[in-house]
C-alpha cells in the first residue's frame, strides 16, 4: 500500500464565504456547513469557532475529527460510515493540518469532558493547539441517547469531510508518504529484523462505548489485522463515551503515534507488520476469547514483539493483563502504554489488575491528579455538565467560573496511545 498524505497547514480560522484556505487561514461558510448537516433527529444545528490562546472552554466534548478528503484512490473519507464500503490506505489524501471539527453535546454525561484553549488545562490536550470548528446540536424531544450519539458522530465526520472537500485546491505545505508491502513481502524483505505488531485495545463496553472499524462496531468482531495505512487513512472511527482523559478520538486514530513511530523504525531496527484492533469486553468469557485471538494472530503473523495500548481503565485493565500474559506465553515480548488511576495523592495501585509478566510499562499519567483551571471569557456548550463528568462534581464549578477537577475531565489528557503531554509519544 502507498498512501500520500498532503498537508495544508492551517494557522488561522474565520467565518467566510466560500469555504476555502487562503494564506493558511481556513474560512468556513457557516450557513452552508449547517445546511449540509440536515438530520431529522436534530431540531437545530449551531457552530462556533475556537482558536489557540483564546479564553474559551468547550464542554462537553464528544469527538474531534481532522478535516480530510480523498484526492485519489477513493470516493469518500471515513469509509463505511459516511463513505462507501471500500478499503482505504492507498492513493492521495488531503488533510487540513492544524484544523479540527469538535462535536459537543450532553450525550453520556459522566463520560465526556472539556477542552480549554488557554490556561493550565490547555497544556494537557493537543486540541488546545488546533483551530476548532465546534458543532452543537439540539436533539428532537425524547431522542434516545444512542440515536443522539449517532447523529453527532455522523455529523462530525460529514462536517470534516465537507470542509476539506471545499478546500481541495488548497496549497500543500508538506507531503508524507507511507508505503509498506504485505506481511509476507516485508518478512521476506527484512528477515533479520524483529517483527513487531501494534495491539490496539479499544473501548467496546456496552451501549455508547463503541469503536468502529470500517463502520462495524468492534464489540461484534473478533480481532483482525489492519495495514497501518488503513488506520492513518480513516478506517477507524471513535463512537465511544469513555472517561475524557482516555478518549481515543477519531483525530487520534489518524494521528496514531505508535503507528508513526513504528513506521519510522520499519526497515531499520524493526519489521512493522501492522495493527490488530481489538475489543475490551465486559464479561470474562469475552476477555478470554479476545486475548487468545490477539496472541494467536500476532504469533501467526510471526511477531516477536507486541506494543499494547489500552483505552480506558479499571475493567479494561484485566483485558490488558490477559493480553500481556498470553503474548508472553507464546514467546512474544510486550510493551504496554497506558495511564494510571493512582488516587489524588498518587499512592494507590495504578492499575486495577496486575501480572508479573508486565515488565515494560509506559505511563501516560495519573488520571486522578487534581488541577485548578480559571474561568474562561467564553464557554461553548454547557458548563453545568462538569457536575456529571468523570473527574468533576457539582462543587467543581465555582461561582466565578473557575473549576477544581481531576485530570481525567480534560479530553485526551492521558490518552493511551501516548498522544498527550503526560506521556512520551507526543510528536
Amino acid at each position: 500500500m502507498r498512501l500520500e498524505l498532503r498537508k495544508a497547514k492551517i494557522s488561522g480560522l474565520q467565518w467566510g464565504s466560500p469555504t476555502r484556505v487562503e494564506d493558511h487561514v481556513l474560512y468556513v461558510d457557516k450557513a452552508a456547513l449547517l445546511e449540509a448537516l440536515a438530520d431529522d433527529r436534530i431540531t437545530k444545528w449551531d457552530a462556533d469557532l475556537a482558536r489557540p490562546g483564546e479564553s474559551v472552554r468547550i464542554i462537553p466534548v464528544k469527538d474531534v475529527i481532522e478535516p480530510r478528503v480523498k484526492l485519489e484512490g477513493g470516493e469518500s473519507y471515513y469509509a463505511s460510515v459516511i463513505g462507501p464500503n471500500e478499503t482505504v490506505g492507498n492513493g492521495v489524501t488531503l488533510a487540513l493540518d492544524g484544523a479540527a471539527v469538535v462535536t459537543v453535546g450532553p450525550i453520556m454525561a459522566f463520560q465526556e469532558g472539556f477542552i480549554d484553549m488557554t490556561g493550565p488545562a490547555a497544556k494537557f490536550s493537543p486540541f488546545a493547539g488546533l483551530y476548532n470548528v465546534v458543532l452543537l446540536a439540539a436533539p428532537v424531544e425524547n431522542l434516545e441517547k444512542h440515536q443522539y450519539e449517532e447523529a453527532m458522530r455522523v455529523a462530525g465526520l460529514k462536517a470534516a469531510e465537507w470542509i476539506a472537500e471545499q478546500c481541495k485546491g488548497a496549497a500543500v505545505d508538506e507531503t508524507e508518504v507511507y508505503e509498506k508491502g504485505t506481511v509476507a513481502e516485508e518478512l521476506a524483505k527484512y528477515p533479520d529484523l524483529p517483527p513487531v505488531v501494534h495491539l490496539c485495545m479499544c473501548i467496546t463496553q456496552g451501549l455508547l462505548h463503541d469503536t468502529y472499524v470500517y463502520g462495524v462496531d468492534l464489540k461484534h468482531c473478533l480481532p483482525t489485522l489492519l495495514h497501518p495505512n488503513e488506520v492513518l487513512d480513516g478506517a477507524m472511527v471513535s463512537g465511544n463515551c469513555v472517561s475524557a482523559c482516555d478518549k481515543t478520538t477519531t483525530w487520534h486514530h489518524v494521528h496514531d503515534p505508535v503507528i508513526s513511530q513504528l513506521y519510522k523504525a520499519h526497515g531499520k531496527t524493526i519489521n512493522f507488520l501492522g495493527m490488530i484492533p481489538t475489543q475490551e469486553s465486559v464479561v470474562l468469557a469475552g476477555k478470554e476469547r479476545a486475548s487468545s485471538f490477539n496472541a494467536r494472530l500476532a504469533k501467526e503473523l510471526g511477531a516477536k514483539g507486541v506494543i499494547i495500548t489500552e483505552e480506558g481503565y479499571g475493567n479494561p485493565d484485566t483485558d490488558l493483563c490477559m493480553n500481556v500474559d498470553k503474548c508472553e506465553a507464546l514467546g512474544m515480548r510486550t510493551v504496554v502504554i497506558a495511564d494510571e488511576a493512582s488516587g489524588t495523592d498518587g499512592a494507590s495501585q495504578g492499575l486495577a489488575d496486575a501480572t508479573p509478566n508486565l515488565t515494560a510499562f509506559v505511563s501516560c499519567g495519573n488520571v486522578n491528579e487534581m488541577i485548578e483551571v480559571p474561568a474562561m471569557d467564553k464557554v461553548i456548550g454547557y458548563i453545568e455538565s462538569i457536575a456529571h463528568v468523570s473527574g468533576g462534581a457539582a462543587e467543581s464549578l465555582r461561582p466565578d467560573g473557575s473549576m477544581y477537577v481531576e485530570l481525567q475531565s480534560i479530553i485526551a489528557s492521558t490518552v493511551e496511545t501516548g498522544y498527550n503531554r503526560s506521556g512520551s509519544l507526543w510528536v
Side-chain angles (χ1 to χ4, degrees):
M1 281 189 175
R2 185 182 190 278
L3 173 64
E4 185 175 311
L5 183 60
R6 297 178 185 174
K7 295 184 176 183
K9 301 286 186 178
I10 304 300
S11 56
L13 178 63
Q14 302 287 341
W15 295 125
S17 183
T19 298
R20 66 196 187 279
V21 175
E22 189 174 298
D23 296 328
H24 301 289
V25 177
L26 173 60
Y27 294 88
V28 179
D29 185 331
K30 182 176 179 179
L33 170 63
L34 297 182
E35 184 179 352
L37 302 179
D39 190 316
D40 291 341
R41 296 168 293 188
I42 303 299
T43 59
K44 180 185 178 182
W45 290 103
D46 200 1
D48 211 331
L49 306 178
R51 308 167 185 87
E54 293 183 334
S55 183
V56 174
R57 176 165 293 146
I58 310 170
I59 183 172
V61 173
K62 171 60 184 170
D63 197 11
V64 182
I65 310 104
E66 183 169 72
R68 291 186 170 204
V69 67
K70 294 299 292 186
L71 299 179
E72 299 174 16
E75 297 179 29
S76 183
Y77 212 71
Y78 300 112
S80 303
V81 180
I82 59 171
N85 294 313
E86 59 183 17
T87 57
V88 296
N90 276 311
V92 180
T93 292
L94 173 68
L96 302 189
D97 184 32
V101 171
V102 179
T103 51
V104 171
I107 299 166
M108 193 55 182
F110 68 96
Q111 291 180 328
E112 296 166 337
F114 70 94
I115 299 169
D116 277 0
M117 300 303 293
T118 191
K123 71 179 182 179
F124 289 103
S125 176
F127 308 131
L130 302 182
Y131 291 85
N132 297 310
V133 179
V134 185
L135 298 182
L136 303 97
V140 298
E141 189 175 358
N142 297 323
L143 185 68
E144 295 287 342
K145 283 188 175 182
H146 70 278
Q147 295 173 312
Y148 187 16
E149 184 280 325
E150 183 185 26
M152 290 293 291
R153 170 166 40 89
V154 171
L157 300 174
K158 282 184 176 179
E161 187 185 31
W162 183 89
I163 290 170
E165 177 77 31
Q166 313 310 306
C167 301
K168 277 187 170 181
V172 175
D173 301 289
E174 180 184 357
T175 299
E176 295 176 355
V177 176
Y178 297 91
E179 188 168 10
K180 197 177 78 66
T182 65
V183 170
E185 290 169 341
E186 298 302 306
L187 288 172
K189 189 185 299 183
Y190 304 111
D192 299 324
L193 294 179
V196 175
V197 297
H198 173 203
L199 178 58
C200 180
M201 294 171 53
C202 303
I203 282 289
T204 54
Q205 296 185 312
L207 190 62
L208 299 176
H209 290 62
D210 308 313
T211 301
Y212 295 90
V213 176
Y214 283 111
V216 178
D217 187 346
L218 195 56
K219 70 167 60 71
H220 304 302
C221 305
L222 289 172
T224 187
L225 174 70
L226 292 180
H227 190 289
N229 286 17
E230 295 178 275
V231 183
L232 298 177
D233 204 28
M236 296 181 68
V237 166
S238 172
N240 65 54
C241 292
V242 66
S243 293
C245 59
D246 294 323
K247 188 186 289 286
T248 305
T249 66
T250 300
W251 187 94
H252 281 101
H253 285 304
V254 298
H255 287 277
D256 189 319
V258 177
I259 288 180
S260 298
Q261 293 297 317
L262 292 178
Y263 234 128
K264 289 178 182 178
H266 178 65
K268 300 172 184 175
T269 57
I270 65 164
N271 189 345
F272 180 27
L273 302 180
M275 179 208 263
I276 300 174
T278 186
Q279 60 182 238
E280 297 170 352
S281 179
V282 294
V283 297
L284 181 59
K287 296 176 186 297
E288 292 173 334
R289 181 186 306 112
S291 57
S292 293
F293 267 80
N294 293 333
R296 185 184 64 78
L297 179 54
K299 187 68 174 180
E300 288 284 342
L301 293 170
K304 297 293 180 61
V306 184
I307 312 296
I308 305 175
T309 58
E310 188 181 17
E311 185 173 19
Y313 61 87
N315 184 287
D317 292 345
T318 295
D319 304 72
L320 181 67
C321 291
M322 284 186 175
N323 284 319
V324 169
D325 283 341
K326 293 181 181 180
C327 287
E328 293 279 350
L330 293 179
M332 296 175 287
R333 300 307 306 271
T334 58
V335 176
V336 165
I337 305 174
D339 59 17
E340 303 172 73
S342 303
T344 55
D345 59 359
S348 300
Q349 179 177 313
L351 300 181
D353 205 344
T355 171
N357 290 316
L358 204 168
T359 58
F361 183 86
V362 180
S363 176
C364 294
N366 176 18
V367 307
N368 302 128
E369 182 178 338
M370 300 300 297
I371 182 172
E372 186 169 1
V373 296
M376 296 286 126
D377 293 341
K378 179 180 179 180
V379 173
I380 301 176
Y382 311 88
I383 188 62
E384 64 276 8
S385 295
I386 195 62
H388 308 290
V389 165
S390 289
E395 59 270 23
S396 296
L397 180 61
R398 295 164 174 169
D400 65 355
S402 65
M403 299 191 303
Y404 188 55
V405 294
E406 291 184 17
L407 203 60
Q408 66 175 306
S409 62
I410 303 170
I411 292 289
S413 59
T414 62
V415 70
E416 295 160 290
T417 59
Y419 210 115
N420 61 74
R421 286 182 176 166
S422 300
S424 62
L425 296 179
W426 192 317
V427 291

